[in-house]
Amino acid sequence: MQILASALLAAAMAAQAVIASPIRARSPYAVKETHFAPREWTKLDRANGAKLVQLQIGLKQGNMDGLLEHLNEVSDPDHARYGAHLSADEIDELVRPSKETCDQVEQWLSEAGVGGHSYNTAKDWITVNLPLEFVEKLLDTEYHDYKHEDGAIISRTTHWSLPRHLHSHIDVIQPTTSFFRGAAHAATYVKTIDEVHDEVAKLSLAAASYGEPSDVSKVCNVSSVTPECFATLYKTKGYKTKAEYKNSIGFANYLEEVPIRPDTEQFLKKYRPEAVSSAKTFTTFSINGGPLNDGPLSLGSAANGSSHEANLDVQAIAGISWKTPIVSYSTGGRPPFIPDLTVVENDSEPYLVWVNWLLQQRSIPKIISTSYGEPEQTVPRSYAERVCKQFAAVGARGTTLFFSSGDSGLGGTNKCYTNDGKNTYKFLPAFPASCPYVTTVGATMNFEPEESAYRAARNVSGVFRDLYSSGSGFSNYFKQPAWQETAANAYVKSIGDLYKGLYNPAGRGYPDLAAQGLYFAYVWNGTEGTISGTSASTPLTAGIFALVNDALLASGKSSLGYLNPWLYKKGYKGLTDITKGSSHGCNVEGFPVTKGWDPITGFGTSIFPELVKLAGAKVW
Ligand SMILES: *[C@@H]1O[C@H](CO)[C@@H](O)[C@H](O)[C@H]1NC(C)=O
Ligand SMILES: *[C@@H]1O[C@H](CO)[C@@H](O)[C@H](O)[C@H]1NC(C)=O
Ligand SMILES: *[C@@H]1O[C@H](CO)[C@@H](O)[C@H](O)[C@H]1NC(C)=O
Ligand SMILES: *[C@@H]1O[C@H](CO)[C@@H](O)[C@H](O)[C@H]1NC(C)=O
Ligand SMILES: *[C@@H]1O[C@H](CO)[C@@H](O)[C@H](O)[C@H]1NC(C)=O
């Protein structure tokens, strides 16, 4: 998906030539997609038509059903083909659009005067840089600027059209109707050590211990949880990696975040000294103009609080999964952007840009952790579905994608209203957490027993607000996958009429599992502090499963790949069930955490040696 300067120029020139007359097509235009702007966004003036946008056109894939069939077979532990993952070329072959699709779309673009566009290797995505006013003609629409509550401005439309004969050949075009914030699931809940002490004292969180101290109580301190605690609690302690040369673990950064090496080094020196070389050796990729930074946090980035998330990710991963090689991806392009005529607007679609780039690579990590997400309803359905399918393709390659479930429980305080123009009070599931092809991680706190993570506060006027609650929900876009039927239906049945009508009991429920997510010790800008969120539980879980993969690869077996079918059939037996807490959010107490699967902690937290056994690796 390279965008060549000459292509850009050619497209811009072609655009100029055509701009005066409306685009004539072989069939009349009809609306292809409509999507309401979320309530946090206010419509402003018409967008500046001279601005260049990077348009991504997703063609209907040739044999996606075939790909999903392969995926189900190679991910089902009871199937003969379990573990027989597909190569990048095999996947390209399956998703390549039909000749008719390619011809029809090419003809439309060529008649419209669009040149210089490029394809990915599977030929199911076209990328082209065009002035916005040309896009408006191409899609028979008008773009406006929209301002988010927090001041960010993006140019979007609420509907766009295509010639009728292309409706069945094009699935999605962006940026058009997506209203993303691309929020990291941490960062907002950063504390100095002193603040945490005050809080822990106030809320009497620290568990009282009676009798002989347990191994866990000796190393786990609620005020500041460390790699030593995780290794003891989840029983990875003493495991020595054996397959580093064929294994790796990646994590994805957005919003100009980049993991800071000196901070990572400081962290590892203190908390996992044997792993300190990881701080120098993790590899970094810049995608779509994402940042690359080898040194300390710049003053500017420190001032705007950048890279909390990236630092947390690399430190959580290195702390648990050493010596597994670590790969960091920083993808550029996001809202908010400051409108500027001279640069291509990279406020594009970060997940899409990243996953399409990833699928182009012939060799990718076996585990990838992502701690970003947004309310599902801010993402147009066609886009969510297409991105989710791209994630399925990653799974078919033998890679497990972990995503965080979010930090606002059922959807935050005073925020839970629909986006369909009716403003109905409803729970707000998160995307990509709601995609069935990713494994979604919730957060716990406390020890012996762990419970779902939750923090609330009153401000000085005494007004109560949820600060942080492990993300929870049921998708409105993705239906309940077969592997989840037994677990999710049992839960829905157990709560009876509770919150009936506020959530979709027939949707994909999440998270799938959980891990600690409160007051992680970490280093940022040379300073020790703590940070919380499902942003913490997700890289931690990813790191534990990287070690499970290590044991598998060392036993001559395949990596876990798309995890959920295995997790719901077998793997759950290697997790500690969490039974305390509730989801909170949307101004209610929320779903209760129960025995068995629940949509707050999933099946619970990892017991590493059990997971290794269940995965079928030689026991170490
Ligand atoms: C927990 O950690 C804090 C901060 O590192 C420390 O001050 C406190 O004494 C610890 N508590 C226990 C019980 O070790
Ligand atoms: C936007 O993306 C393009 C294409 O990858 C890149 O060349 C450019 O530097 C990016 N621009 C900004 C402002 O990040
Ligand atoms: C923070 O500052 C850096 C350096 O000035 C800049 O590149 C980055 O875009 C800023 N990030 C945010 C989130 O504003
Ligand atoms: C980051 O560290 C620098 C150098 O120690 C310091 O001057 C600056 O105040 C720090 N910034 C923040 C926001 O902590
Ligand atoms: C407390 O929160 C309420 C509701 O958000 C707000 O109206 C009020 O101004 C807040 N009080 C202070 C002192 O921040």
Side-chain angles (χ1 to χ4, degrees):
M1 215 179 17
Q2 271 155 341
I3 297 99
L4 307 168
S6 59
L8 193 149
L9 205 65
M13 277 158 53
Q16 261 168 13
V18 180
I19 231 136
S21 58
I23 284 166
R24 274 165 290 138
R26 289 188 22 227
S27 64
Y29 271 73
V31 172
K32 166 77 176 162
E33 183 177 62
T34 306
H35 188 81
F36 284 89
R39 61 208 291 272
E40 294 79 20
W41 295 90
T42 310
K43 189 173 177 179
L44 307 174
D45 292 341
R46 279 292 293 279
N48 186 330
K51 184 167 61 184
L52 278 178
V53 294
Q54 189 186 102
L55 206 64
Q56 310 231 52
I57 303 174
L59 309 189
K60 182 171 174 19
Q61 293 161 315
N63 188 8
M64 195 63 207
D65 291 345
L67 173 69
L68 296 180
E69 214 168 287
H70 278 287
L71 178 62
N72 287 334
E73 291 184 6
V74 304
S75 313
D76 175 356
D78 292 333
H79 198 279
R81 292 185 61 216
Y82 181 64
H85 301 128
L86 305 186
S87 71
D89 291 339
E90 284 169 329
I91 286 169
D92 281 358
E93 204 55 51
L94 282 164
V95 302
R96 183 159 298 137
S98 71
K99 181 165 181 328
E100 203 213 334
T101 293
C102 295
D103 290 350
Q104 295 285 1
V105 174
E106 268 298 329
Q107 189 174 4
W108 169 60
L109 291 176
S110 125
E111 283 170 9
V114 175
H117 48 292
S118 61
Y119 284 86
N120 62 346
T121 55
K123 300 253 188 309
D124 61 336
W125 285 99
I126 295 175
T127 303
V128 60
N129 293 333
L130 294 169
L132 203 54
E133 60 193 347
F134 184 74
V135 175
E136 290 185 330
K137 289 188 189 301
L138 194 65
L139 305 180
D140 191 22
T141 187
E142 287 183 357
Y143 280 75
H144 282 77
D145 286 338
Y146 287 83
K147 188 172 188 182
H148 192 267
E149 283 170 356
D150 73 3
I153 298 174
I154 61 174
S155 307
R156 289 295 186 271
T157 173
T158 51
H159 58 85
W160 55 280
S161 299
L162 280 179
R164 216 176 268 286
H165 74 282
L166 292 177
H167 280 218
S168 60
H169 296 296
I170 291 177
D171 283 349
V172 57
I173 299 185
Q174 290 294 349
T176 51
T177 47
S178 66
F179 290 84
F180 273 179
R181 295 298 298 111
H185 284 159
T188 48
Y189 203 61
V190 183
K191 296 271 157 164
T192 66
I193 301 272
D194 286 345
E195 284 169 329
V196 171
H197 277 174
D198 289 353
E199 272 193 32
V200 171
K202 250 197 319 250
L203 297 159
S204 61
L205 183 73
S209 62
Y210 304 100
E212 278 298 296
S214 66
D215 289 346
V216 168
S217 73
K218 279 184 212 149
V219 292
C220 291
N221 176 340
V222 171
S223 312
S224 174
V225 287
T226 63
E228 173 77 7
C229 168
F230 301 137
T232 308
L233 183 63
Y234 299 138
K235 301 192 160 57
T236 60
K237 200 170 175 145
Y239 181 77
K240 296 223 172 353
T241 54
K242 299 173 208 57
E244 310 87 56
Y245 54 97
K246 11 181 184 176
N247 197 14
S248 64
I249 174 169
F251 64 101
N253 309 284
Y254 299 99
L255 308 176
E256 280 105 56
E257 294 235 345
V258 62
I260 301 302
R261 289 186 197 277
D263 288 344
T264 310
E265 188 170 347
Q266 187 181 336
F267 173 85
L268 291 171
K269 254 189 198 143
K270 174 153 181 182
Y271 295 110
R272 185 108 200 240
E274 60 188 340
V276 75
S277 61
S278 316
K280 292 218 164 62
T281 57
F282 69 77
T283 40
T284 55
F285 287 93
S286 158
I287 300 159
N288 198 40
L292 284 171
N293 175 9
D294 234 11
L297 202 61
S298 72
L299 280 179
S301 294
N304 64 21
S306 192
S307 288
H308 284 290
E309 177 68 61
N311 273 10
L312 167 61
D313 287 352
V314 73
Q315 292 170 26
I317 288 171
I320 192 109
S321 69
W322 183 75
K323 303 173 179 176
T324 309
I326 301 172
V327 181
S328 161
Y329 304 105
S330 287
T331 306
R334 58 141 186 159
F337 77 100
I338 310 299
D340 179 337
L341 300 185
T342 60
V343 294
V344 176
E345 183 189 326
N346 280 351
D347 71 334
S348 50
E349 306 311 330
Y351 306 121
L352 197 50
V353 171
W354 173 74
V355 72
N356 284 342
W357 179 89
L358 189 79
L359 284 167
Q360 301 283 100
Q361 312 304 306
R362 303 291 104 169
S363 164
I364 60 176
K366 306 261 189 282
I367 302 264
I368 301 176
S369 172
T370 306
S371 294
Y372 293 78
E374 22 247 307
E376 190 180 66
Q377 66 170 0
T378 66
V379 182
R381 189 175 193 130
S382 66
Y383 172 86
E385 286 176 352
R386 187 60 188 261
V387 169
C388 188
K389 281 180 190 164
Q390 309 291 116
F391 290 155
V394 176
R397 298 267 302 263
T399 293
T400 313
L401 294 173
F402 287 102
F403 274 81
S404 53
S405 69
D407 296 345
S408 312
L410 296 167
T413 307
N414 304 331
K415 289 216 155 80
C416 301
Y417 297 94
T418 60
N419 188 23
D420 53 4
K422 299 198 190 104
N423 228 20
T424 317
Y425 170 68
K426 263 204 167 162
F427 296 165
L428 296 186
F431 180 81
S434 65
C435 165
Y437 296 108
V438 308
T439 299
T440 303
V441 186
T444 62
M445 62 182 192
N446 247 337
F447 306 100
E448 302 180 309
E450 292 180 76
E451 60 191 277
S452 63
Y454 178 59
R455 277 280 162 278
R458 286 180 196 282
N459 71 9
V460 286
S461 343
V463 177
F464 179 87
R465 187 167 72 89
D466 290 329
L467 280 180
Y468 162 40
S469 180
S470 180
S472 166
F474 291 84
S475 177
N476 291 318
Y477 286 177
F478 300 100
K479 65 179 185 354
Q480 182 184 75
W483 42 258
Q484 198 178 44
E485 249 170 56
T486 311
N489 290 348
Y491 181 81
V492 168
K493 197 165 161 228
S494 78
I495 61 168
D497 284 345
L498 186 66
Y499 306 130
K500 201 168 177 181
L502 295 178
Y503 74 103
N504 173 21
R508 185 266 203 265
Y510 68 86
D512 302 301
L513 76 176
Q516 286 281 316
L518 187 71
Y519 303 142
F520 274 43
Y522 93 132
V523 173
W524 179 81
N525 193 36
T527 308
E528 288 174 24
T530 71
I531 187 165
S532 304
T534 51
S535 276
S537 49
T538 306
L540 173 59
T541 302
I544 294 167
F545 278 84
L547 296 181
V548 178
N549 271 340
D550 181 87
L552 281 168
L553 296 169
S555 313
K557 305 224 168 178
S558 311
S559 57
L560 289 160
Y562 170 37
L563 192 67
N564 296 346
W566 175 82
L567 191 69
Y568 281 73
K569 215 173 213 180
K570 283 178 101 165
Y572 72 93
K573 296 179 202 151
L575 302 173
T576 302
D577 191 9
I578 308 300
T579 58
K580 192 173 170 199
S582 56
S583 64
H584 302 276
C586 295
N587 306 54
V588 292
E589 179 73 14
F591 293 128
V593 178
T594 58
K595 211 159 170 304
W597 183 88
D598 55 67
I600 308 97
T601 59
F603 281 115
T605 59
S606 298
I607 312 165
F608 174 66
E610 297 297 320
L611 290 169
V612 168
K613 254 186 265 172
L614 290 161
K618 284 198 205 99
V619 181
W620 44 285

